[in-house]
Amino acid sequence: MHGDFEAQRHWMEITAHLPISQWYFHDLSWWGLDYPPLTAYHSWVLAKIGSFVNPLWFALHTSRGLDDPSLKVYMRATVFCSEYFVYVPAVIVFLRHYSRLQGVGTWDYSVALTAILMQPATMLIDHGHFQYNTVMLGFVLASMSSMLAGRHLWGCVFFVAALGFKQMALFYAPAVFAYLLGICISPRLDIPRLFKIALVTVLAFVLLFSPLLFGSLYDSYRNVPPDPSGVVQSPPLLTSIRERVTLSEKSWYFPLLLQLTQSIHRIFPFSRGLFEDKVPNLWCALHASGIHKLHQYAPATVQRAALAATSLAIMPPCLIILVRPRRELLPWALATCAWAFFLCSYQVHEKSSLLPLLPMTVLLGGQRGLTRSTRAWVGFANVLGTWTLFPLLKKDELRVPYFVLTLLWAWLMGLPPTSLALYRESSFANGELRVGTRILHLGIYAAMVVWHGVEAFVPTLEGKPDLWVVLNVLVGAAGFGTCYLWCLWGLVAKSEIMGIGLSRTKAKGS
């Protein structure tokens, strides 16, 4: 229980009972708030509603670690309601815009809608693991939908809302920035549009942080300290500023600066390490496999390496969407950029695979979205992504939901292990799946099935308790790496930036 469930419940507890200036300072050793302000405001609303039902659920201090079945029901209900208020409408509206833009019929739209809403990884993490990722993903889809409709200023507002709810939305930020910059310089320089986009983005961030900052000013006026315990150290960013500029703690603006730097410090926890637990990305695969141990390096060195690798990986999609700022390229660019961040960036969670999976899955609603090639790759990424989450889901006793939802989704999409129709010889004869793709996918599908059997019935070697989890990481990282390359190739082909169009490669497939 003392995992993400308790974290979400605890944030509701502190936002409901503490002054707003103390939200980012209160007892950081017990699931301290480390998400952006919009998550805190969301927690406050849910806590106020829940307190009407049962005040004991979020009672200050005494509710810690509460294991109440009715509380679980309420928390799951908040996930469902949040999803149906934000995510479901955003998916429907986005797919309508995207399908019309791509000239896709109602049947293809309906299949894509079902596939997105029933994504097993998203359902298991949010509904089973007590998360609200669909709120952030819904804002991202609303942003993309606005951009598809030509309402770029609303696109900025919705994307700031996504960033304000979960900082993981930064996985998409370089591609979004490149696209918005691209439409301002192509086909001609449009300074007024650039100014309006910049102004609206800044105002959206100001609006996002206003309750937190103005609340801190009010608490300072009432002499309410942000950290009554006095145990929280000064935020590193504030310390760095004070080394260069003389600041008085009695000045009117100091509470604003303290609150802003503390929230930034909590939102971007560079001190936590390169990755969380066992994550199927580049760094964890290198470290956990023993190929190259990374703990021998200083944290600053590892951070620079992650920054360099991520920058190199996001550069191709960002350059393409900058030079070819076409609306239909947005899902491809966001998927490629998100895969790059997941594979190479710093402080990655296993749950972060949801971010590249969403824009990759919406490709089903586009042109040629239900061809064997696209279905095979999108389905492969989703099944693999759900499989890599199994060690986490197992801790939460979600084995049965995992198998049911994953196999149901695979059956609906006609994918292994429920069906091999996509990978039969007829598929290759139609020119839509190359031999290499078939071998790669079927090999990894077979590895996933075998791994489940071994993990369930074969004990690990003595002294290697995480052996099967490490194998999960290695297979997952290799598979995700190929998904990044497929999305990048699709973006290159779709943009025709190298004189290679999908019309020329239609017969060859992928």
Side-chain angles (χ1 to χ4, degrees):
M1 290 295 294
H2 294 167
D4 282 346
F5 172 85
E6 173 58 19
Q8 299 289 343
R9 190 215 59 79
H10 181 59
W11 297 345
M12 296 179 193
E13 171 195 340
I14 62 176
T15 55
H17 294 286
L18 296 179
I20 195 170
S21 62
Q22 297 179 6
W23 287 2
Y24 283 100
F25 290 87
H26 179 73
D27 197 0
L28 302 182
S29 63
W30 184 271
W31 304 107
L33 181 61
D34 56 3
Y35 274 15
L38 194 54
T39 285
Y41 309 151
H42 178 254
S43 298
W44 178 83
V45 171
L46 299 183
K48 290 298 183 181
I49 296 173
S51 295
F52 282 113
V53 181
N54 189 341
L56 297 179
W57 287 345
F58 308 111
L60 190 62
H61 303 309
T62 59
S63 62
R64 285 191 177 184
L66 185 64
D67 188 6
D68 184 346
S70 60
L71 174 59
K72 291 183 181 179
V73 172
Y74 174 74
M75 294 284 283
R76 280 206 169 94
T78 63
V79 173
F80 276 109
C81 291
S82 300
E83 180 172 310
Y84 277 93
F85 272 115
V86 180
Y87 183 66
V88 174
V91 172
I92 294 172
V93 173
F94 170 80
L95 275 182
R96 283 180 179 172
H97 281 127
Y98 188 55
S99 299
R100 289 173 184 170
L101 180 66
Q102 298 277 291
V104 172
T106 304
W107 171 254
D108 290 8
Y109 160 84
S110 301
V111 172
L113 178 63
T114 303
I116 295 169
L117 294 180
M118 292 191 65
Q119 270 186 287
T122 304
M123 293 180 71
L124 288 164
I125 291 298
D126 272 28
H127 299 172
H129 199 63
F130 298 103
Q131 292 277 302
Y132 300 92
N133 294 294
T134 49
V135 176
M136 177 266 293
L137 295 174
F139 284 133
V140 171
L141 285 173
S143 176
M144 293 173 64
S145 181
S146 298
M147 294 177 194
L148 290 180
R151 296 189 288 267
H152 302 104
L153 299 183
W154 276 110
C156 296
V157 172
F158 284 123
F159 192 72
V160 170
L163 290 170
F165 196 83
K166 289 203 173 188
Q167 61 269 43
M168 290 191 301
L170 282 169
F171 280 29
Y172 304 125
V176 172
F177 172 80
Y179 173 76
L180 292 174
L181 180 60
I183 63 173
C184 293
I185 63 176
S186 178
R188 63 182 182 278
L189 184 62
D190 191 339
I191 297 296
R193 173 182 278 182
L194 179 61
F195 175 78
K196 285 188 287 186
I197 287 175
L199 179 62
V200 168
T201 301
V202 171
L203 289 177
F205 273 112
V206 170
L207 183 63
L208 172 69
F209 278 90
S210 290
L212 179 67
L213 298 180
F214 284 118
S216 299
L217 275 180
Y218 179 65
D219 288 344
S220 176
Y221 171 76
R222 295 189 302 150
N223 293 319
V224 176
D227 179 28
S229 63
V231 299
V232 179
Q233 297 180 348
S234 175
L237 180 58
L238 180 60
T239 301
S240 179
I241 294 174
R242 298 184 76 172
E243 290 175 354
R244 295 168 174 79
V245 181
T246 302
L247 298 174
S248 172
E249 295 187 7
K250 296 183 179 181
S251 60
W252 69 270
Y253 58 81
F254 188 81
L256 296 177
L257 196 58
L258 176 63
Q259 196 65 230
L260 189 61
T261 54
Q262 175 66 5
S263 62
I264 292 173
H265 173 60
R266 293 295 300 161
I267 293 168
F268 300 103
F270 289 107
S271 60
R272 289 188 186 176
L274 188 56
F275 45 81
E276 289 279 337
D277 209 354
K278 298 292 189 298
V279 183
N281 72 350
L282 170 66
W283 307 115
C284 188
L286 284 174
H287 181 80
S289 65
I291 295 176
H292 195 73
K293 293 295 184 181
L294 301 177
H295 61 265
Q296 59 185 307
Y297 300 105
T301 302
V302 177
Q303 291 172 15
R304 294 191 193 99
L307 176 62
T310 306
S311 301
L312 187 63
I314 67 173
M315 190 178 299
C318 290
L319 288 176
I320 292 172
I321 199 68
L322 175 66
V323 177
R324 295 281 196 275
R326 300 175 184 170
R327 295 175 295 172
E328 65 271 18
L329 298 181
L330 274 171
W332 291 94
L334 265 65
T336 310
C337 194
W339 278 125
F341 266 91
F342 181 82
L343 289 167
C344 304
S345 66
Y346 195 86
Q347 244 297 297
V348 175
H349 295 250
E350 58 270 67
K351 301 181 287 290
S352 301
S353 60
L354 300 181
L355 278 88
L357 288 178
L358 176 65
M360 192 172 178
T361 306
V362 302
L363 295 174
L364 294 172
Q367 188 180 28
R368 302 183 74 245
L370 294 185
T371 58
R372 292 180 183 272
S373 175
T374 304
R375 266 200 304 146
W377 276 101
V378 171
F380 169 75
N382 275 277
V383 173
L384 179 65
T386 310
W387 176 74
T388 59
L389 293 171
F390 180 79
L392 174 67
L393 300 172
K394 180 182 176 182
K395 295 177 183 177
D396 291 335
E397 300 295 333
L398 294 173
R399 295 181 187 86
V400 173
Y402 161 81
F403 283 110
V404 171
L405 290 175
T406 305
L407 293 176
L408 175 61
W409 196 85
W411 177 75
L412 290 173
M413 297 296 294
L415 298 168
T418 61
S419 172
L420 297 176
L422 283 176
Y423 297 94
R424 288 176 184 160
E425 289 295 332
S426 59
S427 302
F428 176 63
N430 290 336
E432 295 195 42
L433 283 176
R434 291 181 176 177
V435 173
T437 300
R438 294 169 62 227
I439 293 174
L440 172 69
H441 286 195
L442 292 176
I444 292 183
Y445 277 121
M448 288 189 275
V449 173
V450 171
W451 182 88
H452 272 302
V454 171
E455 188 272 339
F457 300 108
V458 180
T460 59
L461 300 177
E462 185 176 353
K464 297 185 181 295
D466 296 330
L467 178 60
W468 306 142
V469 179
V470 171
L471 290 177
N472 182 290
V473 166
L474 296 178
V475 174
F480 289 156
T482 63
C483 291
Y484 165 79
L485 294 174
W486 181 80
C487 290
L488 179 59
W489 172 250
L491 179 60
V492 170
K494 192 81 172 176
S495 67
E496 300 181 334
I497 197 167
M498 298 174 62
I500 304 173
L502 286 178
S503 59
R504 300 181 186 181
T505 59
K506 186 175 181 179
K508 294 181 180 180
S510 59

